[in-house]
Amino acid sequence: MISTNKEINVPFVDLHAQYLELKDEIDNVIKKVIKSSSFIRGDYVLKFEEDFSRYLGIKNCISCANGTDALYIAMKALGVKSGDEVIVPAHSWISTSETVTQAGGKVIFCDTKKDTFNIDPSKIEEKITSKTVGIIPVHLCGKPAEIKSIIKIAKENNIWILEDCAQAHGAMYHDQKVGTFGDAATFSFYPGKNLGAMGDAGAIVTNNDFLATKMAMFARHGGLKKGEHLIEGINSRLDGLQAAILSVKLPKLEEWNLRRQKNAEKYNELLFSNENLILPFSSKNSEDVWHLYMIKTDHRDELIEKLNSHNIKTGLNYPVSLPFLEAYKNYNHSPKDFPNAFYNQSRILSLPMYPHLTDMQINHVVSILKELQNK
Ligand SMILES: *Cc1c(COP(=O)(O)O)cnc(C)c1O
C-alpha cells in the first residue's frame, strides 16, 4: 500500500533499526551458533552469563527463559513458602506480582509515588507484618526506585530485597548500577527492553553464591550435573542463539542508553509541564535509562487519537494498576487503598522512546503535543 500521508511515521519502538546497526555481527553469530549446534547451554550461554555479570560488576548471573521466570526462580531460591508475604508496588507489569503467588506466597501491594511511579518508601513500613519475608522494588520506566531508603527498611525488618530490573538495564542510583543493591535482581531481555534478545530471555544476578547455586539448580530440573536431581525444579533456560545475540548487543547498551537519555532531554527541552501535560520526573541522584518516557495528561484518549492520526504510536504502561486487575478482585481493593497508582493509571501515556528515534521524529511528536499544551 502506498501511503498518501507524507508525514513521518513514529513507531513506539523500532527494533529493526537496532538490528540494522548490528546486522553483520548478528547474522554472523547466528550462523556460528547454527554451525556449532550450541542450541541449549554451551559456550554462548556461558559467555553471556559472564559478559553480563562483568557488565554489572556482580558475582553470579543465572540465565533463564524470560524475566517472569527469573522472578519466580529467585523467589523459590529465597525460600518463599505458603503464608509468606511479599511487598510489591501497585504499579508494575503483572510478572512482579503473579510470580509471588506462583512461588507460594501472598502479594501485598504498596502504593507508588505520584511523580516517579516507583514504590513509595514512606508507605512500606505500614505494610510489614510478622509474615513479611521480602520486597520487590521495580525500577519502572528505567528510573531507579529509592533503593537506599528501601534497604534501610529491609535491614530493620530483616526481609530480603529482590530488584525487578526488567526496565532498567544499566540505570544507576548514586553511581551504582541497579541490580547490585538487593539480595538478588532479575532482568528481562524481551526484545523491546533496553537490552533485548530476538525472542524471550531473562536472567537473575546475585553476589550471594549460596542463592546462585539454588537458583541454577531450581532452573535446571533440580541439579547442576547431568543426572543429578537433588530437588524438583523447572526447565527454564536461555538458548544459545539468544545468548549469542545478547553478547553482540551488550557492548552497545551504554551507547543506546545514552541515546535514550538524549532523546528524553530533547522531549524535556521542547515541551514543558502545564495543566494539560505533565512531563516525567527528573531524578537528581540517579541515572535514568528511559525504558519509557511516560507523560501524564487529563486528555489521554483525545491525545492518543490525535497522535495516531499523525502516524505516532504510543503505549499504556499500564492502564490498570495491579490491585485493580480482575486477577486480584478477591483482594477487594478500592482506589483509596492506592490513591497515587489509581490517580496515575488513567493519565499516564508512554511516548515513542528508543535509541534510534530521530530529531525529526521527536519534532513531529512534539508538534502535536504542543497543540494540546497551548489549548
Ligand atoms: C518485562 C517485564 C517483566 C517480565 O519480563 P518477561 O521477559 O516478559 O517475562 C517483569 N517485570 C517488569 C517490570 C517488566 O517490565
Side-chain angles (χ1 to χ4, degrees):
M1 201 183 83
I2 295 165
S3 171
T4 49
N5 192 335
K6 291 206 187 68
E7 270 184 328
I8 312 152
N9 266 306
V10 193
F12 185 53
V13 292
D14 190 346
L15 298 180
H16 195 66
Q18 198 185 77
Y19 166 63
L20 290 180
E21 189 180 332
L22 291 170
K23 187 180 182 308
D24 290 345
E25 283 174 78
I26 290 174
D27 291 355
N28 254 327
V29 87
I30 289 174
K31 277 187 202 142
K32 275 165 99 181
V33 174
I34 293 173
K35 206 170 166 199
S36 68
S37 299
S38 307
F39 299 125
I40 298 294
R41 296 301 294 166
D43 293 346
Y44 291 98
V45 174
L46 290 174
K47 180 174 186 312
F48 177 68
E49 290 179 338
E50 278 169 26
D51 289 348
F52 198 60
S53 22
R54 195 174 325 112
Y55 170 73
L56 287 178
I58 203 156
K59 273 169 87 181
N60 307 282
C61 171
I62 301 96
S63 62
C64 62
N66 54 65
T68 309
D69 274 9
L71 287 159
Y72 173 59
I73 294 161
M75 276 186 273
K76 291 304 281 186
L78 285 160
V80 172
K81 57 183 190 322
S82 174
D84 287 354
E85 294 180 355
V86 177
I87 298 170
V88 167
H91 184 175
S92 184
W93 176 239
I94 192 168
S95 301
T96 318
S97 54
E98 66 186 353
T99 48
V100 172
T101 315
Q102 280 154 16
K106 182 169 196 280
V107 186
I108 303 294
F109 294 112
C110 179
D111 203 12
T112 46
K113 287 179 96 168
K114 211 168 177 177
D115 53 1
T116 66
F117 310 118
N118 281 326
I119 195 162
D120 185 344
S122 74
K123 291 181 182 164
I124 295 172
E125 254 163 335
E126 65 199 59
K127 299 284 173 181
I128 295 179
T129 70
S130 57
K131 293 180 182 155
T132 310
V133 294
I135 180 165
I136 313 181
V138 180
H139 307 291
L140 205 72
C141 305
K143 190 185 302 301
E146 288 162 66
I147 197 78
K148 297 236 159 143
S149 312
I150 298 168
I151 289 172
K152 191 164 172 284
I153 298 166
K155 280 216 171 103
E156 280 164 10
N157 293 280
N158 196 26
I159 61 173
W160 48 254
I161 297 174
L162 176 61
E163 294 175 76
D164 183 342
C165 304
Q167 303 191 1
H169 317 65
M172 311 253 268
Y173 188 78
H174 287 272
D175 297 322
Q176 186 181 335
K177 284 206 174 75
V178 302
T180 61
F181 290 94
D183 295 272
T186 61
F187 287 85
S188 163
F189 306 113
Y190 173 84
K193 300 285 160 88
N194 287 36
L195 178 63
M198 291 180 155
D200 273 316
I204 314 146
V205 298
T206 178
N207 275 318
N208 182 322
D209 295 339
F210 177 71
L211 274 181
T213 306
K214 280 179 91 168
M215 288 165 182
M217 203 184 272
F218 185 72
R220 326 231 181 286
H221 297 294
L224 294 174
K225 287 181 258 169
K226 253 210 168 83
E228 179 183 83
H229 303 284
L230 303 175
I231 53 167
E232 280 184 333
I234 60 165
N235 171 21
S236 182
R237 48 197 174 205
L238 174 68
D239 68 73
L241 277 167
Q242 301 307 336
I245 291 164
L246 286 168
S247 281
V248 169
K249 287 190 175 190
L250 180 58
K252 281 274 170 188
L253 176 60
E254 293 279 301
E255 184 198 318
W256 286 341
N257 281 344
L258 212 65
R259 289 171 72 173
R260 285 176 184 270
Q261 286 162 359
K262 290 231 167 80
N263 294 337
E265 273 163 33
K266 235 164 265 162
Y267 275 133
N268 287 343
E269 261 167 39
L270 298 170
L271 295 162
F272 55 91
S273 288
N274 72 354
E275 69 275 14
N276 290 332
L277 192 155
I278 300 192
L279 298 184
F281 180 83
S282 286
S283 359
K284 262 197 247 85
N285 296 320
S286 63
E287 199 170 304
D288 200 313
V289 292
W290 299 99
H291 175 60
L292 299 169
Y293 186 91
M294 203 146 81
I295 61 163
K296 279 194 277 186
T297 173
D298 285 333
H299 312 277
R300 190 168 72 182
D301 292 347
E302 181 195 333
L303 184 59
I304 293 172
E305 207 171 300
K306 188 90 190 277
L307 290 166
N308 219 359
S309 73
H310 291 274
N311 303 322
I312 300 163
K313 298 287 179 284
T314 52
L316 296 179
N317 309 88
Y318 302 91
V320 181
S321 288
L322 298 174
F324 311 123
L325 290 173
E326 188 70 17
Y328 296 107
K329 67 171 187 292
N330 59 320
Y331 279 63
N332 282 317
H333 280 310
S334 76
K336 67 173 182 355
D337 299 333
F338 309 97
N340 292 341
F342 185 76
Y343 178 89
N344 286 338
Q345 71 177 21
S346 59
R347 292 172 172 83
I348 49 169
L349 180 66
S350 307
L351 299 184
M353 172 51 82
Y354 45 88
H356 301 81
L357 195 62
T358 65
D359 283 358
M360 214 160 69
Q361 288 174 313
I362 293 178
N363 286 332
H364 182 46
V365 178
V366 166
S367 70
I368 308 301
L369 288 168
K370 281 237 149 105
E371 286 176 30
L372 170 76
Q373 274 207 307
N374 297 327
K375 218 165 75 167

